[in-house]
Amino acid sequence: MAKLTGWLWPVLIISGIFIYLIFVPKDDCDCIKSVVNIESPFNFFEMKFKKIDGLQVADGRFPRMLEYIPESGRIDTTKKFPFILYIHGYGALGTRNMKGICRILYDGTSFDGGSLPANLEWGNVPVVKVNGKDEEFIILAPQYDDYMFPTNFPDSKDIDEFIDYALKHYPQIDSTRMYMTGISAGANMVLEYIASSEARAARFAGAGISSLCSYRFTDWNKEHGILAENIAKAKLPVWFIQSIEDDKDCPPVIPQEWVDGINENGGYPPR
């Protein structure tokens, strides 16, 4: 019995540590990865996204981000890829350090939910077939630490600066095939950006907006030129998604106002 006790304790300790890593999510991405990749425990410290810290972008508005580059892009650095800019919601606000960056993975959902970053970590890598060819995407998900509308939040100028940063530091991005998407507060920022000017809307080939909370006819939008006409003039395809769970604070009438405005001004018919 003494011999059994001698080797049993180390086994129990090691097993406890392993179970802790697997089943207790942390703010640190690597530990959360163990939950995502539970079917491959020998690889659970490897994320598909790369964590980037210390960004000097937009006066510190975006101090860190998650970066995804397809494997084929790491092999052939001259290959061009379409680009997705993902802007997270209020629930994924940063904690002013790297420990909070994995909040982006939970963004607006449980970890097994539907946000783009979480889906990618689960292995649902976005691939689109075009003319018989599989197209993969470079995906950047910057994190911001502050969202206090209307006084302290990343605005269209800040997003412009991030896009310029991305094009400079990722020459593989095809600037004619850029897409942006966001959820909740991120949806508000996407909408503000593409509605702030025709030129800004024209930078992108499409936009996806989930759980929008920005009414079209607010005084703030009018004063800052946030207009459906700008989206319409750029002929930008936009897909609005609103959940039934959004009804209380952000009802479907909000995106419907923008859909109507784009249609009234002859824009590309939104979904």
Side-chain angles (χ1 to χ4, degrees), residues 49 84-86 104 113-121 124 126 139 181:
F49 272 109
I84 298 175
L85 170 60
Y86 178 86
I104 296 174
S115 72
L116 173 60
N119 260 283
L120 191 143
E121 286 301 330
N124 301 320
I139 303 172
T181 184

Side-chain angles (χ1 to χ4, degrees), residues 243-254:
S243 168
I244 58 173
E245 297 296 327
D246 298 320
D247 279 356
K248 182 179 178 182
D249 298 316
C250 304
V253 67
I254 297 177

